[in-house]
Amino acid sequence: MSEKIFSKDYLINELDLPDSAIFDEITDNGRWSIYHRCIFEDSGKFYEAGYSVGATESQDESPWEYDDNVKCTEVELKEVKVKKWVPVVTASDLGRGLRAKLNISDDASLLTSDEMETYCE
């Protein structure tokens, strides 16, 4: 895993982070802080950095406020196949017109997600 140390000043003043991040997501939150993960580009490479901000207007916390340097991990965008649990769709969940068009009887059994994808294409 390739890591690089960036100065906080460079990230904020030169790269305009976290505002200019390619990707930014909230990863966790606490009573006082909201924790983020962001992806940014520097010299043709992409890096991931974590930061936190105040959870309310009363918490005056800015990104990397307590750090002079930030350790970032080089990342790449990859397509990843993910399995997840999804609700089962029954034939009765489909409208009558769509069932007729697809030649599915009103008393048809449960459809798998693969069948649903086929019917809905």
Side-chain angles (χ1 to χ4, degrees):
M1 186 165 50
S2 178
E3 295 180 332
K4 183 174 180 179
I5 305 292
F6 291 92
S7 75
K8 169 181 69 173
D9 292 336
Y10 179 75
L11 293 178
I12 293 172
N13 299 324
E14 299 297 321
L15 297 182
D16 191 30
L17 291 174
D19 294 334
S20 68
I22 295 168
F23 176 80
D24 191 314
E25 70 177 343
I26 295 173
T27 58
D28 199 5
N29 60 0
R31 183 170 183 180
W32 309 116
S33 299
I34 299 173
Y35 302 94
H36 291 252
R37 169 182 167 250
C38 71
I39 306 296
F40 64 94
E41 182 179 2
D42 182 61
S43 301
K45 293 183 178 183
F46 297 91
Y47 296 91
E48 172 184 273
Y51 69 94
S52 60
V53 293
T56 71
E57 63 278 352
S58 299
Q59 279 69 54
D60 187 24
E61 179 185 0
S62 58
W64 307 293
E65 182 171 344
Y66 306 107
D67 301 311
D68 291 329
N69 296 303
V70 180
K71 186 190 305 185
C72 302
T73 304
E74 186 177 353
V75 294
E76 64 181 346
L77 185 61
K78 276 192 170 182
E79 186 174 329
V80 179
K81 187 173 184 177
V82 177
K83 287 186 175 185
K84 66 180 184 176
W85 293 99
V86 297
V88 174
V89 178
T90 65
S92 62
D93 293 331
L94 301 173
R96 182 171 298 281
L98 183 56
R99 288 196 308 268
K101 180 179 177 184
L102 300 173
N103 198 22
I104 301 172
S105 67
D106 286 344
D107 59 347
S109 61
L110 298 177
L111 302 174
T112 67
S113 59
D114 288 339
E115 291 170 325
M116 272 305 296
E117 284 181 21
T118 301
Y119 292 138
C120 295
E121 287 179 344

